[in-house]
Amino acid sequence: MSVKRLSSFHYLKNHCPSSISQDGKTEEFGSRDREKYVEEFNFPFCDDASKYERVAKIGQGTFGEVFKGKDKSNPKKYVAMKKVLMDNEKEGFPITALREIRILQLLEHVNVVHLIEICRTKAHSNNKSKFTFYLIFDFCEHDLAGLLSNVNVVFNLGEIKKILQQLLEGLWFIHRNNILHRDMKAANVLITKNGVLKLADFGLARAFSLPTKEGNRYTNRVVTLWYRPPELLLGDRNYGPPVDLWGAGCIMAEMWTRYPIMQGNTEQHQLNLISHLCGSITPEVWPGVEKFDLYKKMELPKGQRRKVIERLKHYVQNDAACDLLDKLLILDPSKRIDADTALDHDFFWLDPLPAEADLSKMLARHTQSMFEYLAPKRRAGHRAHHRQVPICSSNTKGIIDTGFHDRIF
């Protein structure tokens, strides 16, 4: 279904009768007529959502809710139903959802989630004569955050390589098609029971042009804080694919640590953590950084040396993997490795080869779906079998650490 076919929604909004004058009862009869018109309106290109039976809720966030659904015409077929938030919409169908739909229609790749169709519920008096729309996707049994939260799920090196290779293949494809994801995190990486990885949740994605001297003016209020690259934290609005590669580096490290490596409470805190891991942010290591709006407004730690490999080698214990991580977590986005170059890194060409890994066999041992939303909340000491490394206390004035955190530092 093309975005143009959603124009029926805008037609409804613009042509639905607002009033019918009759003996001074314009408002009353207008309201009733409008409700009847809405309830009887037919979307010719949107099937009724009742063709799917909602089985379970598998996700929730600022974007809305995601449900596992069963196709009533084929009980063996399951789908994911992403509810489009309409509560605060006064101008028709949300532009963010239209953008997501259009982008997903353009991106057909084995490592990008597949949008099947858009469905809607019927409007009636019980739901205040409002429609609900769902984006219907192929169902994936797990997300990476859910898998990593389960201590019984153990990845060997070959399986880790297989996952990261697919992740980078997906990024290479969307960047080649001039699309930025802008919300890379483990919860947005889906994995099927057959071990096929899918990049998901393109709600913040957008088309991009390469950074120019005149400067693009994209919003920097994107990417979940723990995975947000330093250029966005410093106010850059003329960015490109490197913002997604930073997130890929955080996810890669998480494959071994099993937990996000930099968990800031605020933008300032996140910059402190980045500086303590990747070194001080200065014009010497990142030419031009001083031009960013927030460079002089943030308190950036001074005198910090780069410690990416030193901090992560205890977990990773693979020289090639540490080297690739070091290249993904480079402060200067112009020097950060891209997806194409990363796929040619020695990490993927040394034994065990990713092509030899069979994720489906490992996943077959786990019959229950694993999603971040369904995972039990982690309590203090929950990951005690990992080495506990305290947060660096230097240059973190005003930041209170109120509990146990399993972090890299």
Side-chain angles (χ1 to χ4, degrees):
M1 187 191 79
S2 69
V3 172
K4 291 181 179 179
R5 292 178 180 176
L6 282 170
S7 60
S8 55
F9 184 86
H10 296 279
Y11 178 90
L12 170 61
K13 173 183 177 294
N14 295 324
H15 294 80
C16 178
S18 58
S19 62
I20 298 177
S21 180
Q22 183 175 335
D23 299 332
K25 298 183 179 180
T26 302
E27 184 176 347
E28 179 183 354
F29 281 89
S31 175
R32 289 178 180 176
D33 192 86
R34 184 182 180 88
E35 288 180 4
K36 181 179 179 182
Y37 185 91
V38 169
E39 290 172 13
E40 294 178 354
F41 191 86
N42 179 47
F43 289 87
F45 301 105
C46 287
D47 283 351
D48 195 315
S50 62
K51 67 188 287 187
Y52 299 106
E53 176 188 349
R54 287 190 348 192
V55 176
K57 187 174 178 179
I58 57 177
Q60 180 174 337
T62 55
F63 59 84
E65 299 172 301
V66 181
F67 301 89
K68 179 180 180 180
K70 181 190 295 184
D71 189 336
K72 292 180 179 178
S73 66
N74 181 5
K76 294 183 179 180
K77 179 182 179 181
Y78 289 93
V79 298
M81 305 174 67
K82 182 176 180 179
K83 185 178 181 180
V84 178
L85 281 180
M86 302 286 291
D87 295 342
N88 299 318
E89 287 300 326
K90 297 180 180 179
E91 298 300 325
F93 199 82
I95 186 64
T96 52
L98 283 174
R99 178 189 284 174
E100 180 177 8
I101 292 166
R102 184 58 180 153
I103 286 173
L104 288 168
Q105 289 174 334
L106 293 171
L107 299 177
E108 293 187 13
H109 189 269
V110 65
N111 297 128
V112 175
V113 69
H114 175 235
L115 176 65
I116 300 172
E117 62 178 335
I118 295 93
C119 288
R120 46 82 188 151
T121 62
K122 290 183 178 180
H124 48 75
S125 57
N126 292 338
N127 59 16
K128 299 180 181 180
S129 297
K130 290 184 178 180
F131 296 96
T132 300
F133 289 87
Y134 291 91
L135 307 188
I136 308 298
F137 297 93
D138 285 341
F139 181 70
C140 298
E141 283 74 14
H142 314 285
D143 68 39
L144 188 55
L147 288 169
L148 292 174
S149 69
N150 189 330
V151 295
N152 296 315
V153 177
V154 180
F155 296 100
N156 61 39
L157 183 57
E159 291 163 347
I160 290 175
K161 288 185 178 184
K162 186 71 172 180
I163 288 174
L164 295 174
Q165 184 185 58
Q166 292 183 85
L167 177 70
L168 291 167
E169 290 277 8
L171 284 179
W172 172 83
F173 176 77
I174 69 170
H175 292 162
R176 184 188 176 200
N177 284 274
N178 298 319
I179 299 295
L180 298 176
H181 188 280
R182 302 200 302 181
D183 198 16
M184 290 297 298
K185 59 181 179 180
N188 289 341
V189 176
L190 305 182
I191 299 179
T192 71
K193 64 181 180 181
N194 296 321
V196 180
L197 179 145
K198 309 278 186 181
L199 298 182
D201 197 350
F202 283 74
L204 291 177
R206 67 156 297 144
F208 74 93
S209 57
L210 293 176
T212 63
K213 291 183 179 179
E214 295 77 18
N216 297 308
R217 299 291 291 173
Y218 307 140
T219 177
N220 48 45
R221 305 295 294 175
V222 290
V223 187
T224 301
L225 182 61
W226 295 350
Y227 300 83
R228 194 177 302 167
E231 60 266 33
L232 297 186
L233 291 165
L234 291 172
D236 186 14
R237 299 185 66 182
N238 187 27
Y239 53 83
V243 300
D244 288 339
L245 272 302
W246 178 273
C250 294
I251 292 170
M252 180 177 178
E254 207 169 324
M255 292 300 300
W256 283 277
T257 65
R258 311 288 294 219
Y259 214 82
I261 61 173
M262 291 177 282
Q263 301 176 36
N265 301 319
T266 64
E267 285 87 349
Q268 176 66 70
H269 188 192
Q270 192 69 18
L271 279 168
N272 289 343
L273 297 178
I274 289 172
S275 297
H276 285 116
L277 181 65
C278 302
S280 294
I281 300 173
T282 66
E284 288 71 34
V285 299
W286 184 351
V289 68
E290 69 279 3
K291 298 177 182 178
F292 291 146
D293 294 343
L294 300 179
Y295 177 73
K296 293 181 180 179
K297 296 180 181 178
M298 292 290 196
E299 296 182 11
L300 299 176
K302 306 295 183 184
Q304 295 295 318
R305 62 183 178 85
R306 187 170 177 80
K307 301 184 284 287
V308 175
I309 294 178
E310 177 185 330
R311 294 285 187 183
L312 289 169
K313 66 181 180 181
H314 168 82
Y315 296 88
V316 179
Q317 298 183 352
N318 181 279
D319 292 341
C322 285
D323 184 71
L324 179 54
L325 271 168
D326 198 43
K327 289 178 167 62
L328 286 166
L329 296 177
I330 287 179
L331 292 171
D332 185 347
S334 68
K335 299 173 184 175
R336 201 173 297 151
I337 196 170
D338 60 36
D340 191 31
T341 307
L343 286 166
D344 283 334
H345 192 276
D346 287 347
F347 175 65
F348 296 109
W349 298 97
L350 296 172
D351 290 333
L353 297 175
E356 298 171 353
D358 187 352
L359 281 166
S360 63
K361 289 185 178 179
M362 185 275 287
L363 293 172
R365 298 196 291 268
H366 306 280
T367 57
Q368 296 294 320
S369 288
M370 284 171 267
F371 296 99
E372 181 184 51
Y373 174 75
L374 301 176
K377 301 299 181 183
R378 303 186 192 191
R379 302 180 301 277
H382 177 68
R383 302 204 62 81
H385 64 284
H386 282 308
R387 185 181 66 165
Q388 300 175 13
V389 186
I391 296 175
C392 291
S393 59
S394 59
N395 294 313
T396 55
K397 182 172 62 175
I399 298 169
I400 301 174
D401 190 11
T402 56
F404 170 83
H405 299 275
D406 180 23
R407 297 172 177 157
I408 294 306
F409 57 88

